[in-house]
DNA sequence: GCCAACGTTGGC
DNA sequence: GCCAACGTTGGC
């Protein structure tokens, strides 16, 4: 069992949008960065995922979702009408992948980026370390549990 | 809107 | 394989 964090711009897709999906489940498409994709491919059913709001007034971890499928080819990469279309992607040799994420929990209090930066226990969390622009990143279990305790 | 910190592309 | 130019991310 592994822990992850995914970023989403709340103006495009917020945690409340996830709640409102059928079964609270959304296909996590549109990842077009190789490192983020490699992280997606490592995800397994049952892994837990922080939902992070980026590029907004208050960047923060706002809740938790669960991986409910292993990775499969990203259908939006096959669609020439879609902004995520990649001519180098094909069903025969897929380049981009998705997983399905299911809503699990919304924090009463968002765990804000500015708060995270103040915590000694989170000094080396991937979210604020080098290469932190990844939209899918692993989270150490000790960081995970510290944040879960803080969100109570 | 600015800009630092990347990642990607493509000419050579 | 190098690297300049360009694009993107995302906090501020």
């Amino acid at each position: 069992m592994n822990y992850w964090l995914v970023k989403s711009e709340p103006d495009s897709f917020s945690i409340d949008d996830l709640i409102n999906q059928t079964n609270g489940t959304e296909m996590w498409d549109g990842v077009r960065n190789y490192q983020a994709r490699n992280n997606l491919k490592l995800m397994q059913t049952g892994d837990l995922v922080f939902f992070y709001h980026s590029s907004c007034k208050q960047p923060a971890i706002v809740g938790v979702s669960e991986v409910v499928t292993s990775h499969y080819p990203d259908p939006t990469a096959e669609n020439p009408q879609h902004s995520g279309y990649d001519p180098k992607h094909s069903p025969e040799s897929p380049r981009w992948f998705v997983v399905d994420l299911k809503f699990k929990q919304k924090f009463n209090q968002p765990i804000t980026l500015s708060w995270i930066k103040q915590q000694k226990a989170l000094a080396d969390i991937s979210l604020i370390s080098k290469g932190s622009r990844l939209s899918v990143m692993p989270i150490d279990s000790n960081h995970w549990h510290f944040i879960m305790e803080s969100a109570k």
Side-chain angles (χ1 to χ4, degrees), chain A residues 95-109:
Chain A
R95 169 180 290 204
W96 304 113
F97 296 89
V98 299
V99 298
D100 288 0
L101 294 182
K102 181 173 185 173
F103 172 76
K104 205 165 168 59
Q105 171 186 2
K106 182 177 174 179
F107 294 155
N108 295 322
Q109 286 284 98

Side-chain angles (χ1 to χ4, degrees), chain A residues 50 64 105 107 111 143-152:
Chain A
F50 280 143
V64 177
Q105 171 186 2
F107 294 155
I111 301 295
H143 296 149
W144 178 277
H145 293 298
F146 183 86
I147 289 170
M148 290 304 288
E149 281 299 312
S150 306
K152 276 181 182 171

Side-chain angles (χ1 to χ4, degrees), chain A residues 71-87:
Chain A
H71 68 281
Y72 58 97
D74 186 340
T76 68
E78 297 165 24
N79 180 358
Q81 311 304 323
H82 198 279
S83 59
Y85 176 64
D86 182 349

